[in-house]
Amino acid sequence: MAGMWKSVVVLSLGLVLMARAEPEQYDLDLQRAINMALAQNRDLAQRARSVNSAGLGIASANADFGFSLRPSGTAQQTQDTDTYGYGISLGKKICSGHGDRSRTASHANRNGRHIESTHKLAGGFPPTALPKLRSAGSNGVTGSGAAAYPHRAARIRTTKKAALLLRVVEMFESLIQLERSITSDEASLQRLDKLYRLTRARERQGRATRVDTLRVGLRVGEATSRLETSRERLSSQRRDFAELLGQPPDVVFTLVPPPLLDLDIPSAEEAVAVALSNRLDYAQVLQDYTDTVRGEKIARRGLWPDLSFVARYESYENSDVRMNGDKKGDLWSVGLGGDTDMNQTRERARLGQAVLVRESARESVRIREFAITREVQQQTSAYKRALDELQIAERNRQLAAQRAKLARRLFEVGRGDNFSVTDAEEALTDAEGRSLGARADASVAGYSYLNTIGTLLAAPEELRPKLSEAPL
């Protein structure tokens, strides 16, 4: 089916909303019903709040790496000198270290400018700031809009939306099955009631026994009970369906049966490849593995010596102390500084832990790949089996209908007994129930197959698996 890998193919069907007091007609097909559920389902709305919360977490983590601008001032008085100073300090923490710049000026004996920049080249990184940002980044899209589309929360929400879509289809098919079952039970009850009246008439004529009449009466009672049970189930499931769509529980839908999906099933290898390119749970384990690789790199850098680059510039004017023979002058300097702890037991232990975490994440990726392969194979078989069972159940229903029709005709002309008729009616009821169930199962199996390979609901490109990050 063209375009089946990009998004879900939605059936064409209609729904009619009816108010109890004044019935009103609403044109509502499955596409609009799904949209209504995605827009108004309360559980999904709760998930959206967690997405926004994760976005605020990223904004908070990014704030640690923003510019800081601080005013500064000093005043000092000694026995023979008054000194006043003012300035502005501008700083920014970056992922590879941090840099600070300041500008100061003083009055009294000396006016001037002092600018200094410090940049860490290696080691000595804050132990929590960078992992905090990386951890927040793993939950969201880096760059612009990071607060709006957190990765982990967005994947969970998209998965919930796909599950909600599948649930709408399941309940839709279940309601249609129940409605058709009630129609079948009503027709069966009418036929059994007709048979019961005919048997009673023949009993009065001496052409049937009391046992025959009681047997048909029992079948009428069972059919009545089955019909009432189905009606109660239908009423309960209608309320559940209305709640799923975010509608009042007393809304009643008139459903139009949809056609079955017509899917072109690829080979097992192709289906697994599609699943690995679209499954969001696989994308998340890949992201987790990438985070552990980054964590190992951070742990290795903890073994590096603390090395900093320092640049300083000073300019003095109107100084009482001459510099190079003048009352004004410039001084600048550059240099390197650093130290290291020869005992790196703690750093080596952190590195060992990071390596173990990375290996564990690598194994989790492999486990998820095997699980996805197994799920795709099982769901492919389930979908094909559901289609085969539907054909068998439909053929059996047709045979049972022909048998029941023939048994009724033979009894009506006096060439058969009512035992054959009631037995044929019971077989027809069972065959119709299995046929309706097989039809619903085949429809849901098609959507479940799309969900298994990750194409039931199209996810944004940034949320899908990045196969280039998969471990070798």
Side-chain angles (χ1 to χ4, degrees), residues 40-42 238-249 253:
Q40 303 184 31
N41 182 267
R42 295 175 179 83
R238 278 176 172 172
R239 288 191 292 269
D240 294 340
F241 187 63
E243 181 180 359
L244 191 67
L245 300 185
Q247 301 299 309
F253 301 93

Side-chain angles (χ1 to χ4, degrees), residues 285 288-289 292 296 352-368 471:
V285 296
D288 293 340
Y289 172 75
T292 61
E296 181 183 354
Q353 291 177 338
V355 171
L356 291 177
V357 171
R358 177 183 59 80
E359 290 298 326
S360 177
R362 178 190 181 95
E363 188 64 22
S364 296
V365 172
R366 296 305 180 201
I367 292 174
R368 177 54 55 186

Side-chain angles (χ1 to χ4, degrees), residues 3 27 33-34 43 118 127 135 150 217 221 234 265 331 339 365 388 409:
D27 293 332
I34 291 175
D43 293 337
T118 302
S135 177
L234 178 62
I265 304 299
L331 289 178
D339 57 39
V365 172
D388 293 339
R409 287 183 177 179

Side-chain angles (χ1 to χ4, degrees), residues 36-183:
M36 182 182 297
L38 295 179
Q40 303 184 31
N41 182 267
R42 295 175 179 83
D43 293 337
L44 202 61
Q46 186 70 13
R47 177 59 57 182
R49 297 185 184 95
S50 67
V51 173
N52 295 334
S53 176
L56 293 176
I58 288 185
S60 176
N62 281 328
D64 292 339
F65 291 82
F67 284 99
S68 62
L69 186 64
R70 296 183 177 89
S72 61
T74 60
Q76 184 179 5
Q77 184 178 16
T78 62
Q79 184 176 357
D80 55 359
T81 305
D82 294 337
T83 303
Y84 303 92
Y86 64 90
I88 296 177
S89 177
L90 176 66
K92 185 182 189 312
K93 188 184 299 183
I94 58 178
C95 292
S96 60
H98 66 272
D100 290 323
R101 296 179 178 179
S102 62
R103 180 182 185 274
T104 61
S106 63
H107 297 276
N109 295 332
R110 186 175 67 186
N111 297 330
R113 294 184 299 273
H114 176 89
I115 301 176
E116 180 177 319
S117 175
T118 302
H119 180 71
K120 287 190 178 294
L121 298 177
F125 300 151
T128 58
L130 185 58
K132 177 182 177 182
L133 178 63
R134 295 301 188 186
S135 177
S138 69
N139 293 334
V141 180
T142 57
S144 62
Y149 302 100
H151 265 172
R152 187 185 300 271
R155 288 190 181 112
I156 295 176
R157 187 189 181 198
T158 303
T159 302
K160 292 287 186 181
K161 289 170 68 175
L164 176 61
L165 192 156
L166 187 60
R167 181 58 178 162
V168 170
V169 175
E170 290 175 347
M171 294 195 68
F172 198 92
E173 290 291 346
S174 179
L175 286 172
I176 291 176
Q177 179 184 356
L178 270 175
E179 290 177 353
R180 288 180 168 178
S181 178
I182 290 175
T183 301

Side-chain angles (χ1 to χ4, degrees), residues 186-226:
E186 290 173 344
S188 177
L189 182 58
Q190 292 178 359
R191 293 192 300 267
L192 287 174
D193 183 68
K194 180 180 179 181
L195 177 64
Y196 176 73
R197 288 185 280 107
L198 180 59
T199 302
R200 287 190 60 186
R202 291 190 176 182
E203 180 187 357
R204 289 192 295 267
Q205 297 172 357
R207 300 169 58 188
T209 65
R210 181 61 179 168
V211 174
D212 296 333
T213 304
L214 293 176
R215 182 170 53 246
V216 178
L218 177 62
R219 293 289 184 263
V220 171
E222 292 175 345
T224 303
S225 177
R226 183 169 56 249

